[in-house]
Amino acid sequence: MDDASLKALLEHLPVFWWEVDETRRALPGRLPEEARRRSASEGRRYAAFADLVDLAPAAAFIRDSEGRYLWANHAYAHLYGTVPEELVGKYIEDFDEPAEADRFRTLDQEILDRGTPVRHTLGYRRPDGSAGRAVGHRFPVRENARTCVAGIYVDVTEHLRATVQWQEAQENLQALRDHSGLPCALLSASGRVVEASAAAADLFQVSPHDLVGRRAHTLLADEPDLDRLHHRWNSLIARRTRRVETSAVLVDAQGLQRRAQLHLTTIGHAAARARHVWAVVTHQSLAHEAHATLTAAQVRILSLLAEGSSNGDIATSLHLSRQTVDYHLSRLRHLLGAATRPALVARAYVLGILAPRAWPPRSATAAHPLSTV
């Protein structure tokens, strides 16, 4: 391969390269020696570049106008399951099917006729029989005083396949988000809504457009559980955990509250800190006006009431007097707007105070399945 062909290949090589040529002042009587040194230096430099091209990951070749290989690097020979020495001196038809060979000859002739480089995407048959895609340049070069065709291509088959799979995953995720009926939202690490489903917008009584961009904390009621939720959120972002199941009280545009079961899951693994979190609401209580926060004792009384315990049984279980239990039940009926014991239990469930899928009954905010508060 002569220097002109090598330079042409290097110009289209998909890696960074450069050359440095120091300008020396010619001294009288020493020009021939300086020229010899520079010639030897350039010879070493181009030899190094030739090795670079030969071992580059991009597939490169040079063919004459007859379709005969004059040179090929290892990456190109690997496409045919052989080595460069087996390619040189042979023709396109020796390695490609007739239809493929005719197409490649046509491309070569186009380059020779135009005399200018062409960048294009090329389809080919891989050694395993599957279809492959490569992108690169094909251009004219001078080789042994003849105009030949050179090409450098990068196989993008796996990249394209990964891109298609990513697009399909995105479409599936969007379909799940938009049509599952589950309120869900994609949150940034700072807690801002990036995407939201129609069901999530309905939950907060706003349009999806108005929900996107909101800070998540503005959608939550100010309650004691917020500190625990904030701590678990930080664990997610710091990747100390990948998913969290918790609960929170959501506030819609009308000021109504509802307790919701939240599933939080981080996206991706590459960065040291998570950049996005999917939040999915799996269960939600009935929307209601805000009421005073219940004490742990009051929630425990509700759970025992839901289990079927009498006032006396509740007093014994909690080591309280009967009068204290009667007072708490009266207070609970007032706070929750329930006139009877069955109504009080029903309200405790629909307002999200008691966990809907737990027996014995327990608090919906309990940190552990066996917790009672």
Side-chain angles (χ1 to χ4, degrees):
M1 190 192 319
D2 59 29
D3 289 351
S5 299
L6 178 59
K7 282 190 173 183
L9 283 168
L10 289 170
E11 287 172 358
H12 296 87
L13 194 66
V15 294
F16 293 108
W17 67 278
W18 61 90
E19 56 181 317
V20 178
D21 190 8
E22 295 182 0
T23 302
R24 297 181 176 86
R25 180 177 299 175
L27 300 176
R30 298 189 62 182
L31 184 59
E33 179 62 26
E34 182 73 14
R36 281 194 295 271
R37 285 201 301 269
R38 181 172 300 183
S39 176
S41 175
E42 290 187 354
R44 290 191 298 272
R45 180 172 63 214
Y46 288 127
F49 284 160
D51 291 340
L52 171 64
V53 176
D54 194 40
L55 299 175
F61 68 87
I62 297 177
R63 289 195 290 257
D64 63 19
S65 59
E66 302 300 322
R68 182 173 58 237
Y69 286 101
L70 304 180
W71 175 86
N73 69 353
H74 285 80
Y76 187 85
H78 180 70
L79 296 176
Y80 294 97
T82 185
V83 294
E85 292 77 14
E86 294 297 322
L87 279 168
V88 174
K90 296 181 181 177
Y91 290 85
I92 300 175
E93 290 80 4
D94 294 329
F95 299 95
D96 291 294
E97 297 294 329
E100 293 288 289
D102 289 343
R103 186 161 64 94
F104 293 155
R105 280 185 176 275
T106 300
L107 287 173
D108 285 359
Q109 192 58 50
E110 179 184 349
I111 299 302
L112 293 172
D113 293 343
R114 293 177 53 170
T116 56
V118 171
R119 185 181 186 277
H120 58 89
T121 301
L122 182 68
Y124 69 98
R125 187 64 55 185
R126 305 176 89 186
D128 62 2
S130 62
R133 300 286 287 180
V135 62
H137 290 81
R138 195 170 294 212
F139 46 91
V141 296
R142 296 291 295 174
E143 184 73 16
N144 297 327
R146 295 177 299 172
T147 300
C148 301
V149 176
I152 292 184
Y153 290 88
V154 176
D155 192 322
V156 295
T157 307
E158 298 304 325
H159 171 74
L160 292 177
R161 182 178 292 117
T163 299
V164 170
Q165 291 174 345
W166 179 81
Q167 291 172 342
E168 290 176 347
Q170 285 291 102
E171 292 172 358
N172 291 337
L173 184 59
Q174 289 175 0
L176 182 63
R177 181 196 68 193
D178 297 334
H179 305 298
S180 68
L182 287 174
C184 57
L186 181 66
L187 307 177
S188 68
S190 62
R192 194 176 297 276
V193 179
V194 179
E195 299 178 21
S197 67
D202 290 341
L203 181 64
F204 292 102
Q205 298 296 301
V206 296
S207 69
H209 176 76
D210 292 332
L211 189 55
V212 172
R214 289 276 299 272
R215 296 296 294 270
H217 73 269
T218 65
L219 304 170
L220 303 176
D222 187 11
E223 58 159 3
D225 285 349
L226 274 183
D227 288 340
R228 186 176 70 180
L229 179 59
H230 186 259
H231 175 74
R232 302 187 79 176
W233 174 268
N234 288 336
S235 294
L236 277 172
I237 300 304
R239 295 196 183 281
R240 290 192 291 270
T241 183
R242 281 208 62 202
R243 58 180 60 87
V244 164
E245 183 176 352
T246 186
S247 69
V249 176
L250 311 180
V251 182
D252 66 21
Q254 309 303 320
L256 298 179
Q257 298 184 1
R258 69 181 79 215
R259 182 164 291 280
Q261 196 72 15
L262 295 177
H263 291 258
L264 306 175
T265 306
T266 57
I267 305 298
H269 302 274
R273 290 174 58 83
R275 291 183 294 180
H276 293 95
V277 173
W278 270 109
V280 181
V281 175
T282 54
H283 293 86
Q284 54 183 288
S285 72
L286 185 72
H288 60 86
E289 297 285 350
H291 58 70
T293 303
L294 303 186
T295 65
Q298 288 172 330
V299 175
R300 182 66 178 129
I301 288 172
L302 284 174
S303 65
L304 290 171
L305 188 65
E307 190 176 345
S309 298
S310 66
N311 289 14
D313 294 336
I314 295 173
T316 301
S317 297
L318 300 182
H319 305 289
L320 299 173
S321 68
R322 175 68 179 267
Q323 290 76 12
T324 301
V325 173
D326 291 342
Y327 167 78
H328 280 306
L329 288 173
S330 176
R331 179 65 178 160
L332 285 168
R333 283 194 291 268
H334 173 72
L335 290 174
L336 304 185
T340 64
R341 293 166 66 94
L344 192 57
V345 172
R347 290 289 285 177
Y349 277 108
V350 299
L351 297 182
I353 299 171
L354 297 181
R357 297 180 299 166
W359 191 267
R362 65 177 179 86
S363 167
T365 62
H368 188 275
L370 298 181
S371 298
T372 57
V373 295

